Structure formats: structure tokens, C-alpha cells
Amino acid sequence: MALAGVCVVELAGLAPAPFCGMILADFGARVIRVDRTKVAMTVDTQARGKRSVALNLKNPKGVAVLKRLCVQSDVVLEPYRKASWQGIFYC
């Protein structure tokens, strides 16, 4: 596979990031999808080939886990506006 050995962290959101993550997973990348806790479960057709973890990013422990994942990854995909999560990495 072309992207074997590449680790991608995808912050789940609207179409662009999940679609990109799906394509990267199809090419062999290890994609870890970070979902919010307490979200209604829906059928996600773009989740194939991904691992998933649910984190509460309003909790410092959840933010610490996300930071650790991002440091260990090669790529971070995030579909959010700057104001919605900028404080996570610039504390």
C-alpha cells in the first residue's frame, strides 16, 4: 500500500475531513478518527478503514489524550473553523 506506515488523526466533523481520511485509509494509512462524546450514533459511510475514539474535549484529560495522539501522528485533519478549537494546542 502506498501510505503504509503513515498515521493520521482525523477530528470528526463535516464532509471534507472524513472524506479525505477515508481516501487516506483506502491507500493504506492508519486513520484514527476522534469523535465527540454523547453524539447520536448515525451510519457513517466515510468511516470505513478507520479506528475510532470518543473524547470529551471540554475535559483536560480528553485534551491531553488528543495532544498525545497528534504528537505521535504524521497528519492531523481538522474541518473546524479556527475559533472552535484553537485553544487546544495554544494553551
Side-chain angles (χ1 to χ4, degrees), residues 49-90:
K50 300 177 188 177
R51 296 172 187 228
S52 180
V53 62
L55 297 176
N56 181 359
L57 298 179
K58 294 181 180 180
N59 184 327
K61 290 181 182 179
V63 173
V65 171
L66 177 61
K67 285 182 180 181
R68 207 169 329 124
L69 279 172
C70 291
V71 167
Q72 295 172 355
S73 70
D74 299 307
V75 178
V76 176
L77 298 174
E78 58 84 17
Y80 307 119
R81 291 186 213 148
K82 185 176 179 181
S84 67
W85 70 280
Q86 67 182 359
I88 292 175
F89 295 106
Y90 304 110

mmCIF file of all heavy atoms in Angstrom, residues 49-90:
data_model
loop_
_atom_site.group_PDB
_atom_site.id
_atom_site.type_symbol
_atom_site.label_atom_id
_atom_site.label_comp_id
_atom_site.label_asym_id
_atom_site.label_seq_id
_atom_site.Cartn_x
_atom_site.Cartn_y
_atom_site.Cartn_z
ATOM 1 N N GLY A 49 -12.412 1.594 7.228
ATOM 2 C CA GLY A 49 -10.966 1.513 7.335
ATOM 3 C C GLY A 49 -10.357 2.376 8.424
ATOM 4 O O GLY A 49 -9.141 2.524 8.483
ATOM 5 N N LYS A 50 -11.175 2.944 9.311
ATOM 6 C CA LYS A 50 -10.665 3.834 10.347
ATOM 7 C C LYS A 50 -10.865 3.226 11.722
ATOM 8 O O LYS A 50 -11.772 2.451 11.947
ATOM 9 C CB LYS A 50 -11.406 5.180 10.324
ATOM 10 C CG LYS A 50 -11.293 5.926 9.029
ATOM 11 C CD LYS A 50 -12.111 7.197 9.100
ATOM 12 C CE LYS A 50 -12.184 7.887 7.753
ATOM 13 N NZ LYS A 50 -13.037 9.073 7.806
ATOM 14 N N ARG A 51 -10.003 3.622 12.640
ATOM 15 C CA ARG A 51 -10.216 3.322 14.048
ATOM 16 C C ARG A 51 -10.887 4.548 14.645
ATOM 17 O O ARG A 51 -10.726 5.651 14.141
ATOM 18 C CB ARG A 51 -8.890 3.066 14.754
ATOM 19 C CG ARG A 51 -8.179 1.856 14.217
ATOM 20 C CD ARG A 51 -6.803 1.759 14.786
ATOM 21 N NE ARG A 51 -6.104 0.687 14.122
ATOM 22 C CZ ARG A 51 -5.432 -0.235 14.769
ATOM 23 N NH1 ARG A 51 -5.339 -0.208 16.064
ATOM 24 N NH2 ARG A 51 -4.819 -1.187 14.098
ATOM 25 N N SER A 52 -11.620 4.360 15.713
ATOM 26 C CA SER A 52 -12.357 5.483 16.270
ATOM 27 C C SER A 52 -12.174 5.547 17.777
ATOM 28 O O SER A 52 -12.116 4.520 18.455
ATOM 29 C CB SER A 52 -13.851 5.334 15.944
ATOM 30 O OG SER A 52 -14.569 6.418 16.468
ATOM 31 N N VAL A 53 -12.098 6.775 18.286
ATOM 32 C CA VAL A 53 -12.031 7.005 19.722
ATOM 33 C C VAL A 53 -12.922 8.210 20.022
ATOM 34 O O VAL A 53 -12.960 9.165 19.247
ATOM 35 C CB VAL A 53 -10.575 7.234 20.194
ATOM 36 C CG1 VAL A 53 -9.967 8.457 19.565
ATOM 37 C CG2 VAL A 53 -10.503 7.326 21.706
ATOM 38 N N ALA A 54 -13.677 8.145 21.120
ATOM 39 C CA ALA A 54 -14.540 9.258 21.524
ATOM 40 C C ALA A 54 -13.884 9.986 22.685
ATOM 41 O O ALA A 54 -13.555 9.374 23.705
ATOM 42 C CB ALA A 54 -15.915 8.748 21.929
ATOM 43 N N LEU A 55 -13.660 11.280 22.520
ATOM 44 C CA LEU A 55 -13.016 12.091 23.554
ATOM 45 C C LEU A 55 -13.886 13.292 23.892
ATOM 46 O O LEU A 55 -14.491 13.895 23.011
ATOM 47 C CB LEU A 55 -11.655 12.602 23.071
ATOM 48 C CG LEU A 55 -10.596 11.567 22.758
ATOM 49 C CD1 LEU A 55 -9.355 12.247 22.201
ATOM 50 C CD2 LEU A 55 -10.245 10.763 24.002
ATOM 51 N N ASN A 56 -13.899 13.650 25.164
ATOM 52 C CA ASN A 56 -14.561 14.865 25.607
ATOM 53 C C ASN A 56 -13.512 15.971 25.618
ATOM 54 O O ASN A 56 -12.682 16.039 26.520
ATOM 55 C CB ASN A 56 -15.163 14.670 26.991
ATOM 56 C CG ASN A 56 -15.889 15.895 27.487
ATOM 57 O OD1 ASN A 56 -15.937 16.927 26.811
ATOM 58 N ND2 ASN A 56 -16.459 15.799 28.676
ATOM 59 N N LEU A 57 -13.535 16.842 24.625
ATOM 60 C CA LEU A 57 -12.516 17.880 24.504
ATOM 61 C C LEU A 57 -12.784 19.074 25.414
ATOM 62 O O LEU A 57 -12.011 20.033 25.411
ATOM 63 C CB LEU A 57 -12.384 18.326 23.052
ATOM 64 C CG LEU A 57 -11.929 17.220 22.102
ATOM 65 C CD1 LEU A 57 -11.843 17.743 20.680
ATOM 66 C CD2 LEU A 57 -10.613 16.621 22.541
ATOM 67 N N LYS A 58 -13.834 19.010 26.213
ATOM 68 C CA LYS A 58 -14.072 20.029 27.233
ATOM 69 C C LYS A 58 -13.442 19.627 28.557
ATOM 70 O O LYS A 58 -13.427 20.399 29.500
ATOM 71 C CB LYS A 58 -15.570 20.264 27.409
ATOM 72 C CG LYS A 58 -16.200 20.870 26.173
ATOM 73 C CD LYS A 58 -17.667 21.129 26.358
ATOM 74 C CE LYS A 58 -18.238 21.726 25.086
ATOM 75 N NZ LYS A 58 -19.660 21.998 25.200
ATOM 76 N N ASN A 59 -12.917 18.422 28.606
ATOM 77 C CA ASN A 59 -12.254 17.887 29.785
ATOM 78 C C ASN A 59 -10.743 17.911 29.551
ATOM 79 O O ASN A 59 -10.282 17.486 28.485
ATOM 80 C CB ASN A 59 -12.733 16.449 30.019
ATOM 81 C CG ASN A 59 -12.183 15.832 31.271
ATOM 82 O OD1 ASN A 59 -11.068 16.107 31.685
ATOM 83 N ND2 ASN A 59 -12.981 14.978 31.876
ATOM 84 N N PRO A 60 -9.944 18.369 30.515
ATOM 85 C CA PRO A 60 -8.487 18.402 30.322
ATOM 86 C C PRO A 60 -7.870 17.040 30.004
ATOM 87 O O PRO A 60 -6.885 16.962 29.271
ATOM 88 C CB PRO A 60 -7.964 18.939 31.654
ATOM 89 C CG PRO A 60 -9.106 19.672 32.258
ATOM 90 C CD PRO A 60 -10.348 18.978 31.787
ATOM 91 N N LYS A 61 -8.445 15.971 30.526
ATOM 92 C CA LYS A 61 -7.913 14.632 30.228
ATOM 93 C C LYS A 61 -8.132 14.284 28.755
ATOM 94 O O LYS A 61 -7.254 13.703 28.116
ATOM 95 C CB LYS A 61 -8.568 13.586 31.122
ATOM 96 C CG LYS A 61 -8.146 13.686 32.566
ATOM 97 C CD LYS A 61 -8.802 12.617 33.395
ATOM 98 C CE LYS A 61 -8.403 12.762 34.855
ATOM 99 N NZ LYS A 61 -9.036 11.742 35.697
ATOM 100 N N GLY A 62 -9.287 14.633 28.217
ATOM 101 C CA GLY A 62 -9.557 14.390 26.804
ATOM 102 C C GLY A 62 -8.633 15.194 25.912
ATOM 103 O O GLY A 62 -8.130 14.699 24.899
ATOM 104 N N VAL A 63 -8.376 16.441 26.292
ATOM 105 C CA VAL A 63 -7.459 17.296 25.529
ATOM 106 C C VAL A 63 -6.048 16.721 25.579
ATOM 107 O O VAL A 63 -5.333 16.708 24.578
ATOM 108 C CB VAL A 63 -7.490 18.745 26.058
ATOM 109 C CG1 VAL A 63 -6.421 19.591 25.390
ATOM 110 C CG2 VAL A 63 -8.862 19.355 25.838
ATOM 111 N N ALA A 64 -5.633 16.209 26.742
ATOM 112 C CA ALA A 64 -4.295 15.616 26.876
ATOM 113 C C ALA A 64 -4.140 14.396 25.970
ATOM 114 O O ALA A 64 -3.096 14.211 25.337
ATOM 115 C CB ALA A 64 -4.031 15.243 28.330
ATOM 116 N N VAL A 65 -5.182 13.573 25.894
ATOM 117 C CA VAL A 65 -5.137 12.394 25.013
ATOM 118 C C VAL A 65 -5.033 12.836 23.559
ATOM 119 O O VAL A 65 -4.240 12.278 22.781
ATOM 120 C CB VAL A 65 -6.369 11.491 25.240
ATOM 121 C CG1 VAL A 65 -6.437 10.391 24.193
ATOM 122 C CG2 VAL A 65 -6.343 10.903 26.632
ATOM 123 N N LEU A 66 -5.810 13.852 23.169
ATOM 124 C CA LEU A 66 -5.757 14.347 21.794
ATOM 125 C C LEU A 66 -4.374 14.902 21.466
ATOM 126 O O LEU A 66 -3.827 14.636 20.391
ATOM 127 C CB LEU A 66 -6.815 15.419 21.555
ATOM 128 C CG LEU A 66 -6.798 16.056 20.167
ATOM 129 C CD1 LEU A 66 -7.046 14.999 19.094
ATOM 130 C CD2 LEU A 66 -7.808 17.172 20.080
ATOM 131 N N LYS A 67 -3.783 15.653 22.374
ATOM 132 C CA LYS A 67 -2.437 16.188 22.138
ATOM 133 C C LYS A 67 -1.432 15.059 21.947
ATOM 134 O O LYS A 67 -0.575 15.123 21.064
ATOM 135 C CB LYS A 67 -2.006 17.075 23.307
ATOM 136 C CG LYS A 67 -2.673 18.424 23.320
ATOM 137 C CD LYS A 67 -2.152 19.258 24.477
ATOM 138 C CE LYS A 67 -2.793 20.618 24.535
ATOM 139 N NZ LYS A 67 -2.280 21.433 25.627
ATOM 140 N N ARG A 68 -1.534 14.011 22.762
ATOM 141 C CA ARG A 68 -0.626 12.869 22.642
ATOM 142 C C ARG A 68 -0.797 12.180 21.286
ATOM 143 O O ARG A 68 0.183 11.811 20.643
ATOM 144 C CB ARG A 68 -0.884 11.889 23.785
ATOM 145 C CG ARG A 68 0.313 11.080 24.149
ATOM 146 C CD ARG A 68 0.162 10.283 25.441
ATOM 147 N NE ARG A 68 -0.700 10.911 26.430
ATOM 148 C CZ ARG A 68 -1.768 10.319 26.975
ATOM 149 N NH1 ARG A 68 -2.104 9.091 26.635
ATOM 150 N NH2 ARG A 68 -2.496 10.945 27.867
ATOM 151 N N LEU A 69 -2.052 12.021 20.857
ATOM 152 C CA LEU A 69 -2.309 11.421 19.545
ATOM 153 C C LEU A 69 -1.705 12.262 18.423
ATOM 154 O O LEU A 69 -1.104 11.733 17.484
ATOM 155 C CB LEU A 69 -3.809 11.281 19.302
ATOM 156 C CG LEU A 69 -4.519 10.099 19.925
ATOM 157 C CD1 LEU A 69 -6.025 10.232 19.742
ATOM 158 C CD2 LEU A 69 -4.031 8.803 19.327
ATOM 159 N N CYS A 70 -1.874 13.572 18.517
ATOM 160 C CA CYS A 70 -1.380 14.462 17.457
ATOM 161 C C CYS A 70 0.141 14.474 17.392
ATOM 162 O O CYS A 70 0.719 14.530 16.303
ATOM 163 C CB CYS A 70 -1.917 15.877 17.662
ATOM 164 S SG CYS A 70 -3.689 15.998 17.361
ATOM 165 N N VAL A 71 0.797 14.420 18.537
ATOM 166 C CA VAL A 71 2.264 14.401 18.551
ATOM 167 C C VAL A 71 2.800 13.124 17.911
ATOM 168 O O VAL A 71 3.809 13.146 17.211
ATOM 169 C CB VAL A 71 2.789 14.552 20.003
ATOM 170 C CG1 VAL A 71 4.261 14.218 20.107
ATOM 171 C CG2 VAL A 71 2.521 15.956 20.506
ATOM 172 N N GLN A 72 2.086 12.014 18.106
ATOM 173 C CA GLN A 72 2.541 10.727 17.576
ATOM 174 C C GLN A 72 2.136 10.502 16.118
ATOM 175 O O GLN A 72 2.571 9.533 15.509
ATOM 176 C CB GLN A 72 1.972 9.594 18.436
ATOM 177 C CG GLN A 72 2.482 9.603 19.850
ATOM 178 C CD GLN A 72 1.759 8.611 20.732
ATOM 179 O OE1 GLN A 72 0.802 7.970 20.321
ATOM 180 N NE2 GLN A 72 2.216 8.484 21.962
ATOM 181 N N SER A 73 1.326 11.386 15.554
ATOM 182 C CA SER A 73 0.834 11.167 14.189
ATOM 183 C C SER A 73 1.666 11.942 13.171
ATOM 184 O O SER A 73 2.433 12.830 13.509
ATOM 185 C CB SER A 73 -0.632 11.595 14.087
ATOM 186 O OG SER A 73 -0.728 12.992 14.180
ATOM 187 N N ASP A 74 1.476 11.586 11.914
ATOM 188 C CA ASP A 74 2.138 12.274 10.811
ATOM 189 C C ASP A 74 1.259 13.385 10.229
ATOM 190 O O ASP A 74 1.761 14.372 9.716
ATOM 191 C CB ASP A 74 2.478 11.277 9.690
ATOM 192 C CG ASP A 74 3.415 10.192 10.173
ATOM 193 O OD1 ASP A 74 4.471 10.533 10.737
ATOM 194 O OD2 ASP A 74 3.079 9.000 10.007
ATOM 195 N N VAL A 75 -0.069 13.199 10.300
ATOM 196 C CA VAL A 75 -1.029 14.129 9.693
ATOM 197 C C VAL A 75 -2.183 14.336 10.662
ATOM 198 O O VAL A 75 -2.642 13.391 11.296
ATOM 199 C CB VAL A 75 -1.585 13.565 8.367
ATOM 200 C CG1 VAL A 75 -2.612 14.493 7.755
ATOM 201 C CG2 VAL A 75 -0.471 13.277 7.386
ATOM 202 N N VAL A 76 -2.671 15.583 10.762
ATOM 203 C CA VAL A 76 -3.882 15.888 11.528
ATOM 204 C C VAL A 76 -4.880 16.550 10.579
ATOM 205 O O VAL A 76 -4.572 17.564 9.954
ATOM 206 C CB VAL A 76 -3.592 16.829 12.725
ATOM 207 C CG1 VAL A 76 -4.886 17.195 13.442
ATOM 208 C CG2 VAL A 76 -2.602 16.192 13.683
ATOM 209 N N LEU A 77 -6.066 15.948 10.480
ATOM 210 C CA LEU A 77 -7.133 16.508 9.645
ATOM 211 C C LEU A 77 -8.166 17.143 10.561
ATOM 212 O O LEU A 77 -8.684 16.489 11.464
ATOM 213 C CB LEU A 77 -7.824 15.407 8.836
ATOM 214 C CG LEU A 77 -6.969 14.646 7.841
ATOM 215 C CD1 LEU A 77 -7.780 13.503 7.247
ATOM 216 C CD2 LEU A 77 -6.485 15.574 6.760
ATOM 217 N N GLU A 78 -8.468 18.408 10.352
ATOM 218 C CA GLU A 78 -9.489 19.068 11.165
ATOM 219 C C GLU A 78 -10.340 19.956 10.276
ATOM 220 O O GLU A 78 -9.812 20.770 9.535
ATOM 221 C CB GLU A 78 -8.853 19.840 12.318
ATOM 222 C CG GLU A 78 -7.842 20.904 11.932
ATOM 223 C CD GLU A 78 -8.474 22.223 11.569
ATOM 224 O OE1 GLU A 78 -9.644 22.455 11.898
ATOM 225 O OE2 GLU A 78 -7.796 23.014 10.919
ATOM 226 N N PRO A 79 -11.668 19.792 10.342
ATOM 227 C CA PRO A 79 -12.559 20.554 9.468
ATOM 228 C C PRO A 79 -13.203 21.764 10.127
ATOM 229 O O PRO A 79 -14.167 22.299 9.618
ATOM 230 C CB PRO A 79 -13.631 19.516 9.131
ATOM 231 C CG PRO A 79 -13.756 18.751 10.405
ATOM 232 C CD PRO A 79 -12.350 18.673 10.951
ATOM 233 N N TYR A 80 -12.686 22.187 11.290
ATOM 234 C CA TYR A 80 -13.352 23.228 12.057
ATOM 235 C C TYR A 80 -12.829 24.612 11.727
ATOM 236 O O TYR A 80 -11.735 24.781 11.219
ATOM 237 C CB TYR A 80 -13.178 22.977 13.553
ATOM 238 C CG TYR A 80 -13.602 21.598 13.971
ATOM 239 C CD1 TYR A 80 -12.697 20.725 14.549
ATOM 240 C CD2 TYR A 80 -14.904 21.162 13.769
ATOM 241 C CE1 TYR A 80 -13.091 19.455 14.931
ATOM 242 C CE2 TYR A 80 -15.297 19.891 14.142
ATOM 243 C CZ TYR A 80 -14.387 19.057 14.727
ATOM 244 O OH TYR A 80 -14.759 17.799 15.095
ATOM 245 N N ARG A 81 -13.624 25.605 12.091
ATOM 246 C CA ARG A 81 -13.161 26.980 11.999
ATOM 247 C C ARG A 81 -12.100 27.200 13.063
ATOM 248 O O ARG A 81 -12.095 26.536 14.088
ATOM 249 C CB ARG A 81 -14.312 27.946 12.244
ATOM 250 C CG ARG A 81 -15.323 27.940 11.154
ATOM 251 C CD ARG A 81 -16.327 29.032 11.427
ATOM 252 N NE ARG A 81 -17.607 28.582 10.928
ATOM 253 C CZ ARG A 81 -18.765 28.897 11.442
ATOM 254 N NH1 ARG A 81 -18.824 29.679 12.481
ATOM 255 N NH2 ARG A 81 -19.869 28.440 10.917
ATOM 256 N N LYS A 82 -11.255 28.152 12.861
ATOM 257 C CA LYS A 82 -10.156 28.410 13.789
ATOM 258 C C LYS A 82 -10.636 28.639 15.214
ATOM 259 O O LYS A 82 -10.078 28.112 16.161
ATOM 260 C CB LYS A 82 -9.346 29.612 13.310
ATOM 261 C CG LYS A 82 -8.128 29.881 14.128
ATOM 262 C CD LYS A 82 -7.325 31.018 13.563
ATOM 263 C CE LYS A 82 -6.120 31.273 14.426
ATOM 264 N NZ LYS A 82 -5.333 32.378 13.927
ATOM 265 N N ALA A 83 -11.698 29.390 15.406
ATOM 266 C CA ALA A 83 -12.159 29.761 16.742
ATOM 267 C C ALA A 83 -12.690 28.579 17.532
ATOM 268 O O ALA A 83 -12.726 28.617 18.743
ATOM 269 C CB ALA A 83 -13.227 30.830 16.640
ATOM 270 N N SER A 84 -13.106 27.496 16.882
ATOM 271 C CA SER A 84 -13.756 26.414 17.612
ATOM 272 C C SER A 84 -12.793 25.516 18.371
ATOM 273 O O SER A 84 -13.188 24.870 19.319
ATOM 274 C CB SER A 84 -14.602 25.578 16.651
ATOM 275 O OG SER A 84 -13.783 24.904 15.734
ATOM 276 N N TRP A 85 -11.526 25.443 17.990
ATOM 277 C CA TRP A 85 -10.620 24.552 18.710
ATOM 278 C C TRP A 85 -9.218 25.119 18.868
ATOM 279 O O TRP A 85 -8.332 24.439 19.364
ATOM 280 C CB TRP A 85 -10.547 23.197 18.033
ATOM 281 C CG TRP A 85 -9.840 23.194 16.726
ATOM 282 C CD1 TRP A 85 -10.351 23.577 15.537
ATOM 283 C CD2 TRP A 85 -8.481 22.833 16.470
ATOM 284 N NE1 TRP A 85 -9.402 23.473 14.551
ATOM 285 C CE2 TRP A 85 -8.251 23.015 15.096
ATOM 286 C CE3 TRP A 85 -7.443 22.365 17.263
ATOM 287 C CZ2 TRP A 85 -7.018 22.761 14.514
ATOM 288 C CZ3 TRP A 85 -6.226 22.106 16.663
ATOM 289 C CH2 TRP A 85 -6.025 22.308 15.315
ATOM 290 N N GLN A 86 -8.988 26.372 18.548
ATOM 291 C CA GLN A 86 -7.640 26.916 18.579
ATOM 292 C C GLN A 86 -7.012 26.847 19.964
ATOM 293 O O GLN A 86 -5.803 26.735 20.090
ATOM 294 C CB GLN A 86 -7.620 28.338 18.051
ATOM 295 C CG GLN A 86 -8.350 29.323 18.941
ATOM 296 C CD GLN A 86 -8.346 30.710 18.338
ATOM 297 O OE1 GLN A 86 -7.782 30.923 17.287
ATOM 298 N NE2 GLN A 86 -8.980 31.633 19.007
ATOM 299 N N GLY A 87 -7.811 26.913 21.017
ATOM 300 C CA GLY A 87 -7.260 26.898 22.365
ATOM 301 C C GLY A 87 -6.683 25.568 22.787
ATOM 302 O O GLY A 87 -5.950 25.489 23.758
ATOM 303 N N ILE A 88 -6.985 24.492 22.073
ATOM 304 C CA ILE A 88 -6.499 23.166 22.473
ATOM 305 C C ILE A 88 -4.981 23.102 22.392
ATOM 306 O O ILE A 88 -4.324 22.597 23.291
ATOM 307 C CB ILE A 88 -7.119 22.074 21.567
ATOM 308 C CG1 ILE A 88 -8.613 21.978 21.833
ATOM 309 C CG2 ILE A 88 -6.451 20.726 21.815
ATOM 310 C CD1 ILE A 88 -9.340 21.019 20.924
ATOM 311 N N PHE A 89 -4.391 23.622 21.341
ATOM 312 C CA PHE A 89 -2.953 23.484 21.148
ATOM 313 C C PHE A 89 -2.168 24.706 21.583
ATOM 314 O O PHE A 89 -0.964 24.645 21.667
ATOM 315 C CB PHE A 89 -2.654 23.179 19.675
ATOM 316 C CG PHE A 89 -3.207 21.864 19.259
ATOM 317 C CD1 PHE A 89 -4.328 21.785 18.461
ATOM 318 C CD2 PHE A 89 -2.637 20.688 19.706
ATOM 319 C CE1 PHE A 89 -4.856 20.566 18.092
ATOM 320 C CE2 PHE A 89 -3.146 19.472 19.340
ATOM 321 C CZ PHE A 89 -4.263 19.409 18.544
ATOM 322 N N TYR A 90 -2.838 25.803 21.819
ATOM 323 C CA TYR A 90 -2.123 27.031 22.157
ATOM 324 C C TYR A 90 -2.413 27.470 23.585
ATOM 325 O O TYR A 90 -2.537 28.638 23.858
ATOM 326 C CB TYR A 90 -2.493 28.145 21.168
ATOM 327 C CG TYR A 90 -2.223 27.737 19.751
ATOM 328 C CD1 TYR A 90 -3.267 27.491 18.873
ATOM 329 C CD2 TYR A 90 -0.917 27.569 19.289
ATOM 330 C CE1 TYR A 90 -3.018 27.095 17.561
ATOM 331 C CE2 TYR A 90 -0.675 27.167 17.984
ATOM 332 C CZ TYR A 90 -1.732 26.938 17.145
ATOM 333 O OH TYR A 90 -1.478 26.548 15.867
#
